[in-house]
């Protein structure tokens, strides 16, 4: 088989799996047969692509990108694609979270042939988004990712879920209109849609036409910024993530809001203003990280709190990604920041997915979402059959990871980013956001422990084994990423930049300075949390919340 065959297997296998899963709808009266088709489709769509990705690893490490035109059409007519190390990394992120989320859905819902088929179509769109080098095809892939999200959110059947999905639909559709107008502007100037041909066409335009090109790129960047939920363009995200099924929340937060950002990196390389856009995005990312964590700290609803933390953590990714674009990947600082951006995108997907699933299990057992009402979660879980506190422990691992405490993976990615940003004022914004994160998760952790008395809760039994499988899987990955720091960074660095020799990143993150900074950040977070119990601060948080 050719390398191109393995590349397209990562897209076609999920689509094939979706088709097989849908066959289960024909046998709705025969549940065993329906499940056979559904599970077979999921295995084909979520597990077999790993074989193709593993076989592509040697080629990616050597820097041999797989490029070509879909269907062997002529250049300029067919859809161009490029599968390189970055595309490999983004697909690994998507398939890892996808497997965990789908397994969890079997125990926590939603489930069924229709859900699995839509879930797999979304996975295929994600894979296509990161390998396309054709602007219109990028638009189509982003739209498919969005449409499947609108459909999956209301499957939770919670009050307000359909409205949240509709809000997401309207905001996203409006954003993509801007993206489409931007594509039109570039196509009118260059007569091309493939990235390579656009880059050549932009070399021959006049100064007056450069203004049109700049405006066109600005429209596309703005559309992606809305999809990524950068401040102040975040309004659609909290309700959509909070009201979606827990498994869908994990995918939305962990994968779908990050993929467009890394796809945009290829687009920004087409015009000379890319570094300026990168600088602007890095500032927006730093502000997003801090402001969103303040809003998160004010929340009562546990999933709303986690949703705002998704915005805050994407701020870290955007800040590092933007500064990497600003400096360029040919520089040591730029490459360090891009490695940090991807690491945090991956690690955030793992620990935020874990948090959504473990908190989701607790919500399903207790029937309560208010962080100020829900207490003794560990006891309630034990009362319905969780003899060993799996959910409580996996939540703790996720909370330690997002709070950047060693030896969890969040400690690694956040320190890689802040280490490369020490000379920038954004460093202080991210450190302050880190303290706010610690405060938020001290607050959230109280749902598992005792309070002043039990509120009467609607306790119900759930199917634990499948939920535990997904939670433990993600928890182990969170620990592994922190323990094997050097190996992970070397591997990611070589995939992003094959010439990477490892010398541009601090050799050890477990230094006295880093550990002392972590201690001070944790202490500051504890003080912030204690201050929230004062009347003055609690009133401020109430104003922010409303």
């Amino acid at each position: 088989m050719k390398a191109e065959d393995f590349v397209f297997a990562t897209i076609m296998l999920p689509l094939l799996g979706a088709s097989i899963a849908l066959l289960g709808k024909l046998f709705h009266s025969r549940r065993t047969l329906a499940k056979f088709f559904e599970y077979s489709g999921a295995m084909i769509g979520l597990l077999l692509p790993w074989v193709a990705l593993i076989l592509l690893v040697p080629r990616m490490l050597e820097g041999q990108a797989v490029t070509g035109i879909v269907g062997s059409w002529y250049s300029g007519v067919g859809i161009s694609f490029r599968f390189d190390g970055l595309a490999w990394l983004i697909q690994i992120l998507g398939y890892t979270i996808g497997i965990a989320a789908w397994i969890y859905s079997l125990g926590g819902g939603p489930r069924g042939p229709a859900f699995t088929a839509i879930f797999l179509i979304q996975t295929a769109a994600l894979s296509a988004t990161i390998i396309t080098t054709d602007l219109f095809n990028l638009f189509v892939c982003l739209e498919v990712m969005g449409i499947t999200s609108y459909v999956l959110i209301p499957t939770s059947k919670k009050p307000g879920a359909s409205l949240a999905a509709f809000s997401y639909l309207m905001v996203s559709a409006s954003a993509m209109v801007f993206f489409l107008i931007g594509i039109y502007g570039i196509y009118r100037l260059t007569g091309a849609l493939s990235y390579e041909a656009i880059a050549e066409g932009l070399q021959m335009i006049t100064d007056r036409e450069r203004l049109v090109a700049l405006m066109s790129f600005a429209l596309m960047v703005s559309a992606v910024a809305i999809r990524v939920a950068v401040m102040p363009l975040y309004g659609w995200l909290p309700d959509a993530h909070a009201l979606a099924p827990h498994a869908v929340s994990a995918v939305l937060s962990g994968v779908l809001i990050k993929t467009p950002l890394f796809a945009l990196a290829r687009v920004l390389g087409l015009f000379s203003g890319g570094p300026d856009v990168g600088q602007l995005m890095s500032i927006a990312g730093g502000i997003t990280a801090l402001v969103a964590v303040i809003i998160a700290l004010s929340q009562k609803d546990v999933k709303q709190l986690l949703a705002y933390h998704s915005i805050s953590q994407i701020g870290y990714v955007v800040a590092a990604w933007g500064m990497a674009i600003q400096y360029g990947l040919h520089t040591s600082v730029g490459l360090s920041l891009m490695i940090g951006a991807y690491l945090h995108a991956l690690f955030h997907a793992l620990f935020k997915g874990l948090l959504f699933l473990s908190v989701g299990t607790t919500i399903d057992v207790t029937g309560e979402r208010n962080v100020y009402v829900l207490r003794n979660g560990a006891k309630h879980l034990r009362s319905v059959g969780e003899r060993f506190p799996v959910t409580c422990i996996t939540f703790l691992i996720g909370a330690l990871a997002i709070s950047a405490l060693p030896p969890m993976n969040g400690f690694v990615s956040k320190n890689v980013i802040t280490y490369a940003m020490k000379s920038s004022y954004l460093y202080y914004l991210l450190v302050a956001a880190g303290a706010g994160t610690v405060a938020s998760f001290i607050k959230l952790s109280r749902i598992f422990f005792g309070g002043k008395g039990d509120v009467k809760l609607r306790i119900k039994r759930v199917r634990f084994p499948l939920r535990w499988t997904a939670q433990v899987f993600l928890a182990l990955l969170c620990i592994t990423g922190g323990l094997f720091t050097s190996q992970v960074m070397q591997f990611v660095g070589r995939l992003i930049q094959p010439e990477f020799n490892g010398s541009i990143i601090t050799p050890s993150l477990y230094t006295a300075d880093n550990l002392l900074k972590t201690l001070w950040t944790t202490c500051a977070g504890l003080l912030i949390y204690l201050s929230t119990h004062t009347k003055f601060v609690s009133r401020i948080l109430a104003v922010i919340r409303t």
Side-chain angles (χ1 to χ4, degrees):
M1 292 181 68
K2 299 179 181 179
E4 291 86 347
D5 297 329
F6 293 121
V7 170
F8 282 102
T10 63
I11 301 171
M12 300 310 297
L13 286 172
L15 293 177
L16 174 62
S19 302
I20 294 172
L22 274 178
L23 290 176
K25 295 284 287 182
L26 299 175
F27 304 96
H28 61 277
S29 59
R30 302 172 64 181
R31 295 186 61 185
T32 301
L33 198 55
K35 285 186 177 180
F36 170 77
F37 282 110
E38 179 190 356
Y39 295 176
S40 297
M43 295 304 102
I44 290 171
L46 294 175
L47 291 181
L48 287 185
W50 280 85
V51 177
L53 290 171
I54 290 170
L55 292 174
L56 287 166
V57 169
R59 188 181 182 108
M60 297 301 102
L61 290 174
E62 294 173 2
Q64 298 178 16
V66 181
T67 60
I69 308 294
V70 177
S72 300
W73 285 83
Y74 294 110
S75 177
V77 179
I79 298 171
S80 59
F81 68 91
R82 176 183 175 86
F83 188 93
D84 54 14
L86 181 61
W88 190 93
L89 289 168
I90 297 299
Q91 290 198 8
I92 284 293
L93 187 158
Y95 282 108
T96 301
I97 301 303
I99 288 172
W102 185 80
I103 292 173
Y104 184 93
S105 73
L106 296 178
R111 53 185 176 272
F115 168 78
T116 298
I118 296 169
F119 189 87
L120 291 173
I121 292 170
Q122 186 178 76
T123 303
L126 184 152
S127 298
T129 298
I130 198 61
I131 73 169
T132 184
T133 53
D134 179 280
L135 273 183
F136 189 78
N137 195 50
L138 176 61
F139 165 79
V140 172
C141 293
L142 292 175
E143 278 291 80
V144 175
M145 285 173 58
I147 291 169
T148 51
S149 298
Y150 318 145
V151 176
L152 290 175
I153 290 168
T155 56
S156 67
K157 299 180 180 179
K158 295 174 183 173
S162 295
L163 182 60
F166 181 73
S167 174
Y168 182 9
L169 165 64
M170 297 307 294
V171 171
S172 180
S174 300
M176 297 315 290
V177 168
F178 293 129
F179 194 92
L180 199 56
I181 294 172
I183 292 176
Y184 168 74
I186 296 299
Y187 182 74
R188 183 164 183 175
L189 289 176
T190 64
L193 291 172
S194 71
Y195 296 176
E196 184 177 354
I198 289 172
E200 293 176 359
L202 290 175
Q203 299 296 321
M204 299 181 286
I205 61 177
T206 64
D207 291 339
R208 185 175 180 180
E209 290 173 330
R210 289 189 188 280
L211 180 60
V212 177
L214 180 61
M215 292 175 64
S216 299
F217 279 113
L219 288 170
M220 289 188 285
V221 170
S222 299
V224 171
I226 293 173
R227 293 290 287 265
V228 174
V230 175
M231 289 281 181
L233 309 173
Y234 69 96
W236 61 269
L237 184 146
D239 286 341
H241 287 206
L243 296 174
H246 310 313
V248 176
S249 296
V251 175
L252 291 177
S253 175
V255 183
L256 293 192
I257 63 174
K258 302 186 183 84
T259 302
L261 185 70
F262 288 97
L264 181 64
R266 301 188 195 278
V267 178
L268 291 182
L270 301 178
F271 77 115
S272 58
D276 295 328
V277 174
Q279 183 180 19
L280 182 63
M281 290 289 282
S282 67
I283 295 170
I287 295 172
T288 298
L290 181 58
V291 174
V293 82
I294 295 171
I295 301 175
L297 189 59
S298 72
Q299 297 303 303
K300 289 183 178 180
D301 186 289
V302 292
K303 287 193 70 176
Q304 285 274 8
L305 187 152
L306 290 175
Y308 276 105
H309 268 289
S310 294
I311 300 172
S312 177
Q313 297 303 308
I314 199 66
Y316 282 84
V317 177
V318 172
W321 174 90
M323 193 172 284
I325 298 295
Q326 179 186 351
Y327 283 97
L329 297 186
H330 60 281
T331 66
S332 60
V333 175
L335 182 54
S336 295
L337 286 163
M338 187 58 78
I339 292 171
Y342 174 76
L343 279 177
H344 198 60
L346 172 63
F347 291 166
H348 170 256
L350 299 176
F351 60 65
K352 182 52 69 64
L354 177 58
L355 288 166
F356 268 117
L357 299 187
S358 56
V359 168
T361 299
T362 309
I363 291 173
D364 289 345
V365 167
T366 62
E368 181 57 64
R369 297 166 63 106
N370 191 322
V371 70
Y372 297 111
V373 174
L374 178 55
R375 291 288 182 273
N376 292 316
K379 186 182 79 172
H380 297 312
L381 289 163
R382 189 167 57 251
S383 71
V384 294
E386 190 180 65
R387 296 182 180 180
F388 187 78
V390 175
T391 300
C392 187
I393 292 173
T394 54
F395 168 82
L396 179 61
I397 290 171
L400 292 175
I402 197 172
S403 300
L405 295 177
M408 303 303 168
N409 57 1
F411 172 79
V412 175
S413 56
K414 286 190 177 182
N415 274 285
V416 169
I417 291 173
T418 54
Y419 177 81
M421 285 188 174
K422 271 193 172 181
S423 59
S424 170
Y425 60 90
L426 293 178
Y427 170 85
Y428 301 100
L429 291 178
L430 298 184
V431 170
T437 301
V438 172
S440 293
F441 282 90
I442 293 175
K443 171 182 175 177
L444 185 56
S445 65
R446 295 177 64 200
I447 68 174
F448 289 96
F449 308 109
K452 293 183 179 180
D454 284 343
V455 176
K456 290 185 178 179
L457 302 172
R458 302 186 303 275
I459 305 301
K460 67 176 184 179
R461 293 185 175 275
V462 298
R463 292 193 282 182
F464 279 117
L466 290 168
R467 296 175 185 245
W468 287 340
T469 301
Q471 291 169 203
V472 171
F473 172 64
L474 293 178
L476 290 175
L477 289 178
C478 288
I479 296 171
T480 302
L483 294 179
F484 296 94
T485 302
S486 178
Q487 294 87 339
V488 171
M489 287 194 296
Q490 292 285 337
F491 183 72
V492 171
R494 285 190 62 191
L495 285 174
I496 293 177
Q497 187 68 273
E499 295 80 16
F500 171 70
N501 58 18
S503 62
I504 61 173
I505 292 183
T506 178
S508 176
L509 294 172
Y510 295 94
T511 61
D513 286 344
N514 275 338
L515 294 175
L516 186 61
K517 185 191 77 173
T518 301
L519 176 61
W520 283 115
T521 302
T522 305
C523 291
L526 178 59
L527 291 175
I528 293 171
Y529 168 73
L530 293 175
S531 72
T532 61
H533 292 279
T534 64
K535 289 184 178 180
F536 177 71
V537 175
S538 62
R539 286 175 181 172
I540 293 175
L541 293 178
V543 170
I544 292 172
R545 182 171 60 250
T546 55

